[in-house]
Amino acid sequence: MYIVILGAPGAGKGTQAAVVAEKLKAAHIATGDMFREAQEQETELARQAVSYMEKGQLVPDEITIRMVLERIAAPDCVNGVVFDGFPRNLKQAEALDEALVEQGKTVDKVVYIKVSETELLERLSGRWICRQCQTPYHALNSPPKTPGKCDRCGGELYQRADDTVETVKERLRVYFAQTAPLIDYYTRAGKLLEVDGEGGVDEVGERILASIGGSLIGQRSRG
Ligand code: AMP
């Protein structure tokens, strides 16, 4: 199964993509995490990407697409992939389609996690993330039991450099201009599953899994 998780920054893509990947025993490919890991290791890729990330803009397609195509060629991707944060524009979506077609595969479903803009701004401004396992917390809505420490693994919590008010606004602007058109692209392809992303993490996760499961049952009974 090749699943794309689509949604604005703060919609919960990372958290939910991890849930879906585990359930489907698929690889979880998060381009934002890949760029941040590259930054920690101070690689050439990070040098090329950092200025865009700091401004909340998209890293150029040539760099991003090459990185993802290399990643999906890895052995852990044979059982399927859950894409989180990729594709982010039409060019990336087309590149992904082409690459999968060459392997006789296709994007099976696209889960669009829908969250209102007011809720997105609120979520992003109080967000803290575990450095080790990437579990997100919110200063007001879901604080960790011990301040600064992850409940799950005890890792250190940090705030992303691009979660500042100005950068958040730019990331949302980029999302509406470049990524939101993909909702239409995948609707026309008959692949879009729209899921309400407001509510608790478990509740949204269940909605997503039910929606993927339901759509597959529908496909089988039609086929
Ligand atoms: P994310 O963690 O998905 O919010 O991504 C953080 C930042 O990484 C984005 O604001 C972009 O600068 C960069 N990035 C992540 N995914 C992509 C992508 N598919 N295309 C271009 N830039 C990306």
Side-chain angles (χ1 to χ4, degrees):
M1 289 282 291
Y2 289 79
I3 306 262
V4 169
I5 308 286
L6 197 63
K13 294 189 298 294
T15 312
Q16 301 300 347
V19 171
V20 176
E22 196 182 338
K23 189 84 183 169
L24 298 179
K25 305 213 176 341
H28 175 187
I29 297 185
T31 41
D33 288 349
M34 289 173 82
F35 286 131
R36 280 184 290 277
E37 274 158 30
Q39 253 175 309
E40 281 190 8
Q41 291 156 14
E42 298 178 6
T43 63
E44 172 60 21
L45 173 70
R47 201 190 53 73
Q48 295 171 329
V50 69
S51 63
Y52 300 97
M53 294 178 75
E54 277 173 359
K55 284 186 243 148
Q57 291 167 357
L58 295 187
V59 176
D61 288 334
E62 307 79 69
I63 300 172
T64 309
I65 291 171
R66 194 179 340 119
M67 176 179 83
V68 171
L69 296 192
E70 273 174 30
R71 178 67 187 86
I72 59 175
D76 66 319
C77 294
V78 290
N79 289 333
V81 173
V82 177
F83 294 96
D84 156 12
F86 182 90
R88 279 277 231 285
N89 60 25
L90 218 53
K91 188 154 176 222
Q92 294 180 8
E94 286 167 356
L96 179 63
D97 281 348
E98 272 173 36
L100 290 179
V101 163
E102 273 175 25
Q103 299 177 25
K105 294 169 181 155
T106 183
V107 169
D108 295 285
K109 290 289 163 200
V110 177
V111 177
Y112 164 44
I113 309 181
K114 193 174 178 181
V115 172
S116 74
E117 207 174 328
T118 331
E119 170 92 13
L120 292 172
L121 278 168
E122 197 189 297
R123 285 189 190 179
L124 290 168
S125 56
R127 180 157 82 166
W128 287 81
I129 299 170
C130 173
R131 217 177 264 290
Q132 278 179 42
C133 71
Q134 318 301 326
T135 299
Y137 294 87
H138 191 277
L140 300 177
N141 306 339
S142 56
K145 291 197 186 92
T146 312
K149 272 208 171 358
C150 177
D151 294 350
R152 272 205 194 159
C153 73
E156 180 203 357
L157 302 187
Y158 78 105
Q159 279 202 297
R160 274 174 50 167
D162 59 355
D163 275 350
T164 58
V165 176
E166 278 315 302
T167 318
V168 162
K169 280 195 193 147
E170 177 63 4
R171 285 162 64 208
L172 287 174
R173 190 194 65 73
V174 168
Y175 168 78
F176 287 111
Q178 302 197 43
T179 312
L182 294 182
I183 298 170
D184 215 40
Y185 177 79
Y186 287 120
T187 302
R188 275 187 271 115
K191 295 181 176 176
L192 199 86
L193 304 170
E194 182 177 311
V195 173
D196 176 5
E198 301 200 16
V201 170
D202 294 345
E203 194 183 347
V204 176
E206 276 162 28
R207 277 184 214 140
I208 292 176
L209 293 175
S211 163
I212 295 174
S215 74
L216 294 179
I217 293 164
Q219 247 173 16
R220 269 187 221 122
S221 60
R222 277 196 302 278

